[in-house]
Amino acid sequence: MEKRVLRADARRNREAIVAAARAVFDDDEQLRFDDFAARAGVGVGTLYRHFPTREALAAAVYEGEVAGLLEQARDSTRSAGENLDAFLRGFVEYLVAHAGLARTLAAVVDPAVQADRGSELENTVADLLQRAAADGAVRDDVGVGAIMIVLHGIGSATDRPHWAAEARGAADLLLAGLRTG
Amino acid sequence: MEKRVLRADARRNREAIVAAARAVFDDDEQLRFDDFAARAGVGVGTLYRHFPTREALAAAVYEGEVAGLLEQARDSTRSAGENLDAFLRGFVEYLVAHAGLARTLAAVVDPAVQADRGSELENTVADLLQRAAADGAVRDDVGVGAIMIVLHGIGSATDRPHWAAEARGAADLLLAGLRTG
DNA sequence: GGAGAATATGGAGATCATCTCCAGTTGTCA
DNA sequence: TGACAACTGGAGATGATCTCCATATTCTCC
């Protein structure tokens, strides 16, 4: 986890790049990596300094996107079981609504990277799961990993003809499986 | 579905390429596409004529691999429910045992391609599912797509630290979800 | 507010994987 | 065995990726 403070121009450029990349991904445009620089009004060198690989760029976009979702994750007026349920369904709906983004990110974000850094997404799901299990709302012998795998599957299937419906089906299956004693 | 009969030398080369590729994938070697040709003792041109893209090559390997698994899919001494259960668990075990292969294939075989051509794998799962549902062994409101998505997630998660365990966990969840009324 | 020191920039061009093309070889069939 | 179609191999064109560094911008401290 880097601590270095970026110079003002560096931060500005970094943000411009991420913003441009998010737009490109969301539109599902297929762009040469170099062109992301042009989109952001920045030189190639700058792009590469901030994001050495396509993956790094995708990870940065991903982080920003997920942050928004995580905020709604915990709602104290609901039970732990309801929270888990709502979050997972919400996540799937988000993916469905942003297929382009989901496609790019799934294709490009290495699951191992997310796992290594204990991604916030995974931590949040782990927490929701643990609370729901403690409440007896779901079984307690399932790891977060299994859930992450299913989520990743959903995110990487955007090209399937009836993806949206199938994604919801997979989520249903997942939640039904969790509720099993 | 091609019908053309290949000349003897062409068939020989094609098979050599697929065999070499399977070995490379299984060892999880990262090779320039051109080098697959050298591995198979064949010129680059030949490689490209048979397999215009990396995906095409992966698909050929994939087809060969899956064929083996499908043979064991139906066992008339077992109930439809048991068959589905056994096949899905067997598939996961196969992936676990061939992580390198699973990684490459998942990374490279476009899910849409599989879906378009009604891949044999999908057809088989659909059939097993339908029979199990008719038997009342599993719910009847789930499409194959949902299952394929989970399987794809399992196949693409090979880089996660505790992949094997998590893969089995995901399969458990899937099967438990299917059994729900 | 100005003189360094530190940090960041951009884009020309090196590098390297991908893919095409076709002169030559091999297999097939009568 | 000859004639023709099918197939081969690999040199080189193509085009994306990434490096390098002379120049520019920001920061710090007096």
Side-chain angles (χ1 to χ4, degrees):
Chain A
M1 305 283 161
E2 296 266 327
K3 275 285 178 181
R4 283 271 302 311
V5 183
L6 291 180
R7 229 171 58 177
D9 53 348
R11 173 203 299 283
R12 227 181 301 123
N13 280 333
R14 190 179 201 286
E15 279 167 8
I17 294 172
V18 172
R22 171 163 31 235
V24 169
F25 290 163
D26 216 349
D27 288 358
D28 213 5
E29 269 183 282
Q30 200 52 30
L31 233 51
R32 290 203 342 252
F33 193 46
D34 275 27
D35 289 338
F36 281 90
R39 276 310 165 90
V42 138
V44 209
T46 302
L47 171 60
Y48 276 91
R49 195 164 336 92
H50 286 293
F51 305 103
T53 66
R54 194 181 279 273
E55 283 72 26
L57 178 54
V61 171
Y62 172 87
E63 227 158 272
E65 289 304 303
V66 168
L69 287 171
L70 298 186
E71 278 175 19
Q72 328 160 5
R74 229 172 294 158
D75 175 341
S76 52
T77 69
R78 292 182 304 205
S79 74
E82 285 167 343
N83 266 340
L84 177 63
D85 197 280
F87 179 72
L88 292 179
R89 289 188 197 280
F91 188 76
V92 171
E93 286 313 314
Y94 179 85
L95 292 180
V96 166
H98 298 81
L101 206 50
R103 187 187 344 268
T104 313
L105 296 178
V108 138
V109 174
D110 180 350
V113 171
Q114 296 171 49
D116 278 355
R117 304 208 294 199
S119 81
E120 275 200 82
L121 173 61
E122 182 157 350
N123 289 340
T124 301
V125 174
D127 189 55
L128 291 174
L129 175 64
Q130 192 242 301
R131 283 164 196 269
D135 251 33
V138 303
R139 33 199 288 207
D140 61 358
D141 62 342
V142 183
V144 216
I147 297 183
M148 297 310 290
I149 283 180
V150 176
L151 291 183
H152 188 73
I154 291 175
S156 17
T158 48
D159 288 326
R160 293 180 59 93
H162 307 294
W163 175 57
E166 294 178 350
R168 293 193 185 100
D172 276 348
L173 232 35
L174 170 63
L175 288 165
L178 281 170
R179 269 183 245 108
T180 305
Chain B
M1 303 287 158
E2 296 266 329
K3 275 285 177 182
R4 283 272 300 310
V5 183
L6 290 180
R7 232 172 60 175
D9 53 346
R11 173 202 299 283
R12 227 181 302 122
N13 279 333
R14 190 180 201 284
E15 280 166 8
I17 293 171
V18 172
R22 172 163 28 236
V24 169
F25 289 165
D26 216 347
D27 289 0
D28 211 6
E29 270 183 280
Q30 199 53 31
L31 233 50
R32 289 198 347 246
F33 193 46
D34 276 26
D35 289 337
F36 280 91
R39 276 306 165 93
V42 137
V44 210
T46 303
L47 170 60
Y48 276 92
R49 194 162 337 88
H50 287 293
F51 304 103
T53 65
R54 193 181 281 271
E55 284 72 28
L57 178 53
V61 171
Y62 174 88
E63 228 159 88
E65 289 303 305
V66 167
L69 289 171
L70 298 186
E71 279 175 20
Q72 329 159 6
R74 229 172 292 159
D75 176 342
S76 52
T77 68
R78 291 182 303 204
S79 75
E82 285 167 344
N83 265 341
L84 178 63
D85 196 281
F87 179 73
L88 291 180
R89 288 187 198 281
F91 187 76
V92 171
E93 287 312 314
Y94 178 85
L95 292 180
V96 167
H98 298 80
L101 206 50
R103 192 192 333 274
T104 313
L105 297 179
V108 140
V109 175
D110 181 349
V113 171
Q114 297 171 46
D116 278 353
R117 306 208 291 200
S119 81
E120 275 199 83
L121 174 60
E122 182 157 351
N123 290 339
T124 300
V125 174
D127 189 56
L128 291 174
L129 176 64
Q130 192 243 300
R131 284 165 196 269
D135 252 34
V138 303
R139 34 198 288 206
D140 61 358
D141 61 343
V142 182
V144 217
I147 297 183
M148 297 310 290
I149 282 179
V150 177
L151 291 182
H152 187 73
I154 290 173
S156 18
T158 48
D159 287 326
R160 291 178 60 93
H162 307 294
W163 174 57
E166 294 178 349
R168 294 192 184 100
D172 276 348
L173 232 34
L174 170 63
L175 289 165
L178 281 169
R179 269 184 246 108
T180 303

